[in-house]
Amino acid sequence: ALKEKIDDKWRDILSPEKNLETRARIIKEITESHWQNILDLRNNGEKLFEAPADLIPAATARYLPNLEGKTLAGETVDIVDLCRGKTTLLTFEFVKFAEKHTRSFINVFEKTFEGNEKTQVVQVNIEENWAKAAVLKLCLPYVRRSVPKSRHARYVVHYGGVESLRGTLGIANPLIGYAFLVDSKTRIRWYANGEAVKNEAATMAVLTEALLRKHKN
């Protein structure tokens, strides 16, 4: 019986008809989701909400979910392990369009906390679409050149679906960028989306200072 199941599975994998059915279903799902995200972007703009002015209390903060990927330095890592022990600005990008969003937070963070070894930036680039993953892999040499070498070990690339992570972090539209402040115990203490506006970047810096003081104590 087990051999028959294995044989059936391989017949499905090797069957042109089955493969066409699977590809058609996946493409339909990707297309519908993609156009809905574009419609949401057009209707709601590049920002879903303005970031909060205060930290999420430690007692009610969610812990960062696990996500494994490969850094630009070539190591396989889990983002939870990368963030543990430091106050971290953690950003997520699903498309190139989102780079300007995350960069607006990263630039301020790096300028404000330059030389502070208790802080760090962890940047995560996710490609959920299996067809586009090949393109991202081809573009990695360009990404390596565009990201300072000092941050290669903290720039993580992940291929594959992340529905659970998106649900936990509240990532509603993957066409925009997301930024999170994660404390040294890997709890999510603050969040933002889209490009930094008004006082968001300044708020991020003030709240990071507060986390550093708490970590020191």
Side-chain angles (χ1 to χ4, degrees):
L2 178 59
K3 182 180 184 299
E4 289 175 1
K5 288 182 180 180
I6 294 172
D7 288 343
D8 289 342
K9 181 66 175 175
W10 275 105
R11 274 196 294 271
D12 287 348
I13 292 171
L14 298 175
S15 165
E17 292 79 11
K18 285 288 185 180
N19 279 333
L20 286 173
E21 289 173 12
T22 302
R23 288 172 190 166
R25 176 178 55 78
I26 292 172
I27 289 170
K28 183 175 183 292
E29 291 173 357
I30 290 170
T31 301
E32 289 176 351
S33 175
H34 176 72
W35 286 112
Q36 184 58 53
N37 289 330
I38 289 177
L39 183 62
D40 291 343
L41 192 66
R42 187 178 69 180
N43 292 338
N44 303 320
E46 296 180 26
K47 202 164 192 68
L48 300 177
F49 53 81
E50 189 169 334
D54 301 305
L55 290 169
I56 299 171
T60 59
R62 287 186 173 187
Y63 281 91
L64 181 66
N66 295 92
L67 181 72
E68 194 172 271
K70 183 166 285 190
T71 70
L72 292 182
E75 295 182 11
T76 299
V77 297
D78 190 298
I79 61 172
V80 172
D81 295 331
L82 276 184
C83 292
R84 185 177 290 111
K86 293 191 177 186
T87 299
T88 303
L89 173 64
L90 173 66
T91 67
F92 290 89
E93 305 158 12
F94 292 76
V95 293
K96 186 170 178 57
F97 176 75
E99 284 183 7
K100 65 177 182 179
H101 301 155
T102 57
R103 177 53 59 185
S104 66
F105 291 97
I106 291 172
N107 286 345
V108 174
F109 192 91
E110 289 186 324
K111 183 177 180 180
T112 305
F113 299 103
E114 183 179 6
N116 189 325
E117 295 184 357
K118 294 182 180 179
T119 67
Q120 64 177 350
V121 171
V122 173
Q123 196 168 354
V124 184
N125 189 334
I126 296 174
E127 182 49 73
E128 295 185 285
N129 185 326
W130 58 268
K132 293 180 180 178
V135 177
L136 178 56
K137 289 178 181 179
L138 290 174
C139 292
L140 281 182
Y142 166 77
V143 176
R144 286 191 182 93
R145 289 195 298 270
S146 63
V147 175
K149 194 171 183 179
S150 60
R151 284 209 295 110
H152 282 195
R154 298 186 304 280
Y155 188 109
V156 182
V157 180
H158 173 87
Y159 304 104
V162 291
E163 291 83 0
S164 176
L165 177 136
R166 284 173 57 182
T168 300
L169 299 182
I171 296 177
N173 191 332
L175 296 183
I176 62 177
Y178 295 81
F180 300 86
L181 283 180
V182 181
D183 67 20
S184 60
K185 296 182 179 179
T186 72
R187 294 172 297 200
I188 301 166
R189 306 297 300 278
W190 184 81
Y191 52 89
N193 71 93
E195 195 164 358
V197 296
K198 297 181 181 178
N199 298 319
E200 284 183 325
T203 296
M204 173 192 66
V206 169
L207 296 181
T208 300
E209 293 281 8
L211 288 176
L212 287 171
R213 288 194 296 272
K214 293 176 187 293
H215 180 50
K216 185 177 181 180
N217 296 333

